[in-house]
Amino acid sequence: MAILYALVARGSVVLAEFSATSTNASVIARQILEKIPGNNDTNASYSQDRYIFHVKRTDGLTVLCMADDTAGRRIPFAFLEDIHQRFVRTYGRAVLSAHAYAMNDEFSRVLSQQMEYYSNDPNADRINRLKGEMSQVRNVMIENIDKVLDRGDRLELLVDKTANMQGNTFRFRKQARRFRSTVWWRNVKLTVALIGLLLVIVYVILAFACHGLTLPSCLK
């Protein structure tokens, strides 16, 4: 799975979050929320080992996700934009005064569903390719998260190996489907070829049979 963790927050107040695997991403995410400079709208990415925290803040509402670095930036930011629109459309002005985790019971399911979609469904990337490169992603600089958190000791990101297992399982299933499709087409082609060969053999036999039946009449 490319996107492993996501949250929606107002300032440093987390309103909803979801994690697809056992991880301390929520600890790092909260420190990022506290360290984001200023109150202006922003799009930023922060690296930690082979994982990147992508952040989109618009009108005081922050959407954050942690993704594998192989996911690039287009898909995570498309996910953040989608989540932002869904959250605002669902809760409206209630987000301005909601308490911590006020929307978690309901919206964590939305986070889970959209994380699954943007991580595994090839249509997610195809749609965003049709829309073209998102201009807001072009100027995003990836900074090392240790610099952002301004800590002397290195903050380790602990991600359960099941996350990698999930990704490997998805790739294995995709390869297995491709292999089954290849074998199926090969069997179809072989079957068609055998049927064609049988038809030719039947045609030849019938031709000889008909020729043998008409031969005596030719000798009269």
Side-chain angles (χ1 to χ4, degrees):
M1 180 174 286
I3 302 176
L4 304 172
Y5 170 82
L7 67 73
V8 182
R10 184 189 69 251
S12 59
V13 179
V14 178
L15 302 176
E17 72 176 334
F18 179 81
S19 180
T21 184
S22 178
T23 175
N24 66 335
S26 61
V27 176
I28 299 177
R30 280 162 175 75
Q31 295 192 47
I32 292 176
L33 292 177
E34 295 175 356
K35 295 290 184 176
I36 297 176
N39 297 314
N40 298 327
D41 294 355
T42 184
N43 298 290
S45 296
Y46 307 102
S47 67
Q48 175 77 1
D49 296 328
R50 55 183 293 264
Y51 300 97
I52 300 180
F53 288 80
H54 303 278
V55 182
K56 173 182 174 58
R57 184 170 62 191
T58 306
D59 298 330
L61 189 66
T62 302
V63 187
L64 177 151
C65 72
M66 185 189 79
D68 194 298
D69 58 3
T70 59
R73 283 181 284 174
R74 182 176 58 249
I75 289 181
F77 273 97
F79 166 79
L80 296 179
E81 177 66 24
D82 182 16
I83 292 301
H84 179 271
Q85 293 180 2
R86 288 172 182 268
F87 198 82
V88 172
R89 187 167 58 246
T90 302
Y91 301 108
R93 297 185 61 83
V95 302
L96 300 177
S97 58
H99 299 296
Y101 291 98
M103 290 81 173
N104 194 65
D105 289 345
E106 180 181 7
F107 203 76
S108 60
R109 291 192 293 270
V110 177
L111 291 174
S112 174
Q113 293 169 358
Q114 295 310 107
M115 285 167 62
E116 174 72 21
Y117 172 70
Y118 280 91
S119 296
N120 298 328
D121 196 321
N123 289 324
D125 193 32
R126 189 176 299 120
I127 291 172
N128 289 298
R129 284 183 183 277
L130 292 176
K131 292 180 180 179
E133 287 287 345
M134 299 174 63
S135 59
Q136 63 182 11
V137 179
R138 293 173 183 168
N139 299 324
V140 173
M141 299 295 293
I142 298 180
E143 299 183 53
N144 188 279
I145 200 168
D146 294 323
K147 295 180 180 179
V148 176
L149 301 182
D150 193 25
R151 291 187 50 172
D153 55 323
R154 193 164 184 271
L155 185 61
E156 295 290 344
L157 176 63
L158 305 176
V159 178
D160 196 299
K161 291 183 179 179
T162 53
N164 295 328
M165 292 175 62
Q166 289 174 349
N168 292 334
T169 299
F170 172 71
R171 286 189 289 271
F172 174 77
R173 289 176 179 173
K174 190 174 182 179
Q175 292 173 356
R177 286 196 297 269
R178 188 182 298 116
F179 176 75
R180 286 197 298 268
S181 178
T182 301
V183 172
W184 184 81
W185 277 111
R186 187 180 300 168
N187 290 338
V188 169
K189 292 177 182 178
L190 180 60
T191 302
V192 171
L194 289 175
I195 292 174
L197 180 61
L198 289 174
L199 290 176
V200 170
I201 293 174
V202 170
Y203 175 79
V204 172
I205 292 174
L206 290 176
F208 273 106
C210 292
H211 182 72
L213 292 173
T214 56
L215 185 61
S217 61
C218 295
L219 296 176
K220 290 181 179 180

